[in-house]
Amino acid sequence: MAGAIHATGLVKTFGEVRAVDGVDLDVPEGGVLGLLGPNGAGKTTTVRLLTTLLRPDAGTASVAGHDVLRQPDRVRLSIGLSGQFAAVDDRLTGRENLRMIGELYGLGSRAARQRADELLARFGLDAAADRVSSTYSGGMRRRLDLAGALVLHPPVLFLDEPSVGLDPTSRLMLWDAIEGLVAQGMTLLLTTQYLEEADRLARDIAVVDHGRIIARGTPRDMKTQAGGQRIELVVAWPEQLEPAVALLDRFGTRKPEADRPRSTVSVPVDGGVRLLTEVIAALDASGIEITDIGLRRPTLDEVFLALTEERQPEPVGTAAATDSPWEKTS
Amino acid sequence: MTVPAAAPVPTLKPGSAAKALRDVLVITRRNLTRTIRIPEVIVLALVQPVVFVLLFAYIFAGSFSLPGAEGASAYREYMMPGFFAQTIAFATASNSSVSMANDVHSGMTDRFRSLPMARGALLTGRTLADMVQNSVVMVVMVLCALMVGWRIHHGVLRAAAAFALLLLMGYALSWVGVVIGLTVRAPEAAASSNFLWLFPLTFLSNAFVAPSTLPTVLRWAAEWNPLSATVQAVRELFGNPGVVDGGPWPTQHPVLVSLTWSIVIAVTARALAGRRYRAAGA
Ligand SMILES: Nc1ncnc2c1ncn2[C@@H]1O[C@H](COP(=O)(O)OP(=O)(O)O)[C@@H](O)[C@H]1O
Ligand SMILES: [Mg+2]
């Protein structure tokens, strides 16, 4: 119970926008839930509701056994939050930032200073500890922000798009840190737009769209739903796109998708590398020249597409044409 | 990588008075540290009033004449309380509203709201930091005033009361700035919105001209202006020229009017600010 998150029927509207529209969540103690969804899906709003920053219009939620509405200070003592944009004071040094947070948690000056030193060392910030944080790189700011969330080593941690804007190295370092915390038994709710991130960090995924959870499952479930592996190829000549689509149709488990501007065709398959060689042979035989071909896992937009297609059948073309913030993970 | 799980345990309980006091002090210190990190801001904020004082004292003072106080040196003593009040008003407003809007905009308020902090500590810490900054501004202005020939004539106690009135007015305006900072959508808007109310507040007053020289409606506004009351009270307490017998009621009871205005403004703005801050989570 100490580390669990429960929410029932959470609703939050901003004027006309139903940012969160009846969300139910259950994360057991020590569990890791990834909220996956595009920009504007309602991920941040959900996090803000659970971390006492917003009052829900309807629904109830408890974090670490405390009701978010009736015992907000209890909740605040039990959580760490690292928001979508690193909230560090840019004119304070890293050390001052952490000391201030410790003091605002109610630690004595000495305890706050000690904890700050400890965290700075753990997050590799000791060399920069006495520089104002406006001189920090994006990765350093993120780490400082995360360190701020860990001052009390809370049983529950909320991370809103933790790796947004990070270079690959910083991202890997951050993931490493997060995995360490989870291994220590911290309950984690993280939001992300990247399937790869959810895959790496979360044991369970809830896909959010328009304020609703449209699918739940493990990362593996999600990929299976999106058709597992895919073969993707790039044709050398645009006029060979149609023949390539027709050819891939014979091998795929679903209809191939063509991306005309990129001269790319992709199709979900069920046969791995063996099938890939067959496809290459078939392409050769029919004289279709390709510049690239490969086997890859579905990207998040494909997962998402597969999920939204199931809910409301709609032509692939239009769904794909909505402004897609998804990042390709291939 | 592992993070030491042996986390410290808070010694101050949320909701206790000791915790509330500590929160206010921590935030005040944080705001002052921010100011010290960019001293240019406060230095530049002081350059303009100092330049104005010198301009008025040595260039314009000769051409202004006051009813009942003739001569350039009399005008210099007359204008200084006006500059004190105007400088405090501008320094406070540009500080509190922009800093507050910055905190909202940069996500710092979310960080603070996710901590078990006393309600209102963030806002009170803002206004207390402004008060400290205003005291520094006051010292510089007084030194500058002494240089151009301004003097305290009625003793230390009354002078202390005058400075207290000025700082209290600054404190009240700081709360107005907090409301603005919590209302606008961007720090830039906070910066420009200040001119909307600060110019009328400072210029439609008795700071530099006698209201009796203004058209009726403007005169009435200038007489009841909270800044005028403070300026008038300060003139009286310092023993500077510009205190006239007779005239409208607020001019006759400036200390009372100034005190009342400051308290009413501070209390009202504080309530509004508290509501705005909470509404951010509604
Ligand atoms: N404070 C707010 N005022 C008005 N609309 C908001 C506010 N916060 C979020 N929204 C709207 O609510 C929806 C969900 O936003 P958000 O929770 O930030 O999504 P996500 O984090 O998944 O990108 C969006 O349409 C957004 O524009
Ligand atoms: Mg978001």
Side-chain angles (χ1 to χ4, degrees):
Chain A
M1 201 53 193
I5 305 170
H6 301 289
T8 325
L10 282 184
V11 174
K12 182 72 198 176
T13 56
F14 297 109
E16 299 281 279
V17 184
R18 291 182 78 80
V20 172
D21 193 6
V23 162
D24 300 327
L25 289 175
D26 269 300
V27 189
E29 184 174 348
V32 183
L33 176 71
L35 280 184
L36 188 63
N39 260 328
K43 303 183 296 296
T44 298
T45 308
T46 304
V47 169
R48 288 168 59 87
L49 289 171
L50 293 172
T51 53
T52 75
L53 299 181
L54 281 180
R55 293 176 71 87
D57 297 331
T60 56
S62 74
V63 175
H66 308 298
D67 189 280
V68 293
L69 281 177
R70 274 175 289 142
Q71 301 165 294
D73 276 338
R74 289 282 183 95
V75 171
R76 289 170 191 149
L77 280 171
S78 313
I79 61 169
L81 166 66
S82 177
Q84 186 168 354
F85 306 100
V88 299
D89 193 312
D90 55 346
R91 287 194 214 161
L92 298 190
T93 65
R95 197 188 304 279
E96 288 167 341
N97 264 290
L98 294 182
R99 274 179 57 190
M100 174 178 72
I101 292 171
E103 288 171 355
L104 292 174
Y105 268 122
L107 298 181
S109 304
R110 174 144 15 108
R113 195 163 46 227
Q114 222 166 42
R115 184 62 174 169
D117 293 347
E118 236 167 59
L119 288 166
L120 288 164
R122 290 293 166 159
F123 282 92
L125 292 168
D126 30 10
D130 295 312
R131 267 170 36 203
V132 290
S133 68
S134 59
T135 64
Y136 286 16
S137 70
M140 291 163 77
R141 284 171 66 87
R142 259 289 163 190
R143 275 182 278 151
L144 182 60
D145 194 49
L146 181 58
L150 297 173
V151 167
L152 289 194
H153 200 86
V156 185
L157 183 62
F158 291 89
L159 300 175
D160 194 7
E161 304 207 18
S163 65
V164 78
L166 291 189
D167 61 74
T169 317
S170 310
R171 182 173 300 183
L172 286 176
M173 278 174 72
L174 187 78
W175 286 355
D176 210 36
I178 295 170
E179 278 173 339
L181 293 166
V182 170
Q184 285 174 284
M186 208 174 266
T187 307
L188 170 64
L189 187 148
L190 89 145
T191 78
T192 182
Q193 299 194 33
Y194 310 124
L195 183 61
E196 191 191 353
E197 186 163 70
D199 192 11
R200 163 104 187 237
L201 298 174
R203 289 169 212 161
D204 291 295
I205 291 181
V207 180
V208 198
D209 190 31
H210 297 298
R212 294 175 162 279
I213 292 180
I214 59 171
R216 292 170 203 266
T218 62
R220 181 189 295 268
D221 294 341
M222 295 293 156
K223 283 184 217 153
T224 314
Q225 251 177 311
Q229 288 182 312
R230 309 175 73 92
I231 287 176
E232 184 172 271
L233 61 80
V234 183
V235 293
W237 315 104
E239 60 272 21
Q240 292 191 324
L241 200 69
E242 295 308 330
V245 170
L247 184 141
L248 281 182
D249 200 14
R250 304 203 318 257
F251 293 91
T253 53
R254 294 158 70 139
K255 283 260 167 262
E257 283 158 34
D259 180 346
R260 199 163 296 280
R262 289 170 57 223
S263 302
T264 302
V265 190
S266 76
V267 68
V269 293
D270 189 8
V273 179
R274 184 185 304 274
L275 196 67
L276 187 63
T277 44
E278 282 176 35
V279 170
I280 293 172
L283 286 164
D284 239 8
S286 48
I288 300 174
E289 248 184 272
I290 55 170
T291 58
D292 193 15
I293 188 163
L295 202 56
R296 64 167 179 79
R297 298 189 301 183
T299 60
L300 187 52
D301 37 0
E302 286 153 352
V303 171
F304 193 72
L305 210 58
L307 288 170
T308 44
E309 258 175 52
E310 265 167 35
R311 280 172 78 230
Q312 44 190 66
E314 110 182 271
V316 172
T318 59
T322 53
D323 63 328
S324 167
W326 307 97
E327 184 176 286
K328 305 271 181 204
T329 49
S330 58
Chain B
M1 180 165 92
T2 54
V3 174
V9 179
T11 47
L12 287 173
K13 269 212 151 43
S16 68
K19 175 76 166 74
L21 184 65
R22 179 95 179 298
D23 289 345
V24 168
L25 293 180
V26 169
I27 294 295
T28 306
R29 189 189 61 201
R30 171 243 177 189
N31 287 328
L32 290 174
T33 309
R34 284 179 62 84
T35 307
I36 292 167
R37 290 286 144 77
I38 313 220
E40 301 93 286
V41 175
I42 199 160
V43 170
L44 287 174
L46 277 167
V47 166
Q48 191 190 334
V50 168
V51 168
F52 272 164
V53 167
L54 298 178
L55 269 181
F56 271 71
Y58 295 113
I59 297 174
F60 301 132
S63 46
F64 282 99
S65 73
L66 289 170
E70 304 300 325
S73 73
Y75 186 79
R76 282 179 205 156
E77 285 217 58
Y78 168 83
M79 75 178 195
M80 277 322 303
F83 273 117
F84 291 157
Q86 189 199 36
T87 307
I88 293 283
F90 271 92
T92 304
S94 55
N95 227 331
S96 66
S97 63
V98 176
S99 308
M100 205 65 237
N102 260 325
D103 278 352
V104 174
H105 196 68
S106 67
M108 279 312 286
T109 45
D110 268 8
R111 165 57 90 200
F112 289 128
R113 280 152 44 88
S114 78
L115 300 174
M117 262 172 79
R119 259 191 191 184
L122 183 67
L123 312 184
T124 306
R126 170 76 261 149
T127 56
L128 284 187
D130 280 350
M131 179 103 112
V132 174
Q133 280 169 241
N134 282 342
S135 309
V136 174
V137 167
M138 211 55 244
V139 169
V140 175
M141 288 302 286
V142 165
L143 291 178
C144 185
L146 289 170
M147 266 170 29
V148 302
W150 169 85
R151 292 292 179 270
I152 291 169
H153 299 282
H154 288 341
V156 180
L157 273 184
R158 283 172 183 238
F163 289 125
L165 276 183
L166 284 167
L167 289 180
L168 185 66
M169 183 196 73
Y171 187 70
L173 297 183
S174 171
W175 276 107
V176 175
V178 169
V179 174
I180 293 173
L182 290 173
T183 307
V184 295
R185 272 161 217 259
E188 294 77 16
S192 29
S193 76
N194 284 333
F195 292 96
L196 283 181
W197 62 284
L198 274 180
F199 271 105
L201 183 75
T202 53
F203 289 105
L204 207 57
S205 74
N206 63 356
F208 307 109
V209 293
S212 56
T213 60
L214 298 172
T216 318
V217 176
L218 294 185
R219 194 189 73 211
W220 189 82
E223 283 165 358
W224 282 94
N225 183 339
L227 190 116
S228 295
T230 307
V231 170
Q232 198 63 23
V234 167
R235 279 185 187 134
E236 210 173 273
L237 292 165
F238 284 141
N240 295 142
V243 182
V244 285
D245 289 331
W249 191 82
T251 318
Q252 292 311 305
H253 306 86
V255 176
L256 179 69
V257 176
S258 167
L259 208 57
T260 310
W261 265 126
S262 292
I263 291 171
V264 167
I265 292 173
V267 168
T268 313
R270 194 181 199 291
L272 273 176
R275 199 142 57 141
R276 286 244 137 240
Y277 188 60
R278 277 192 299 280

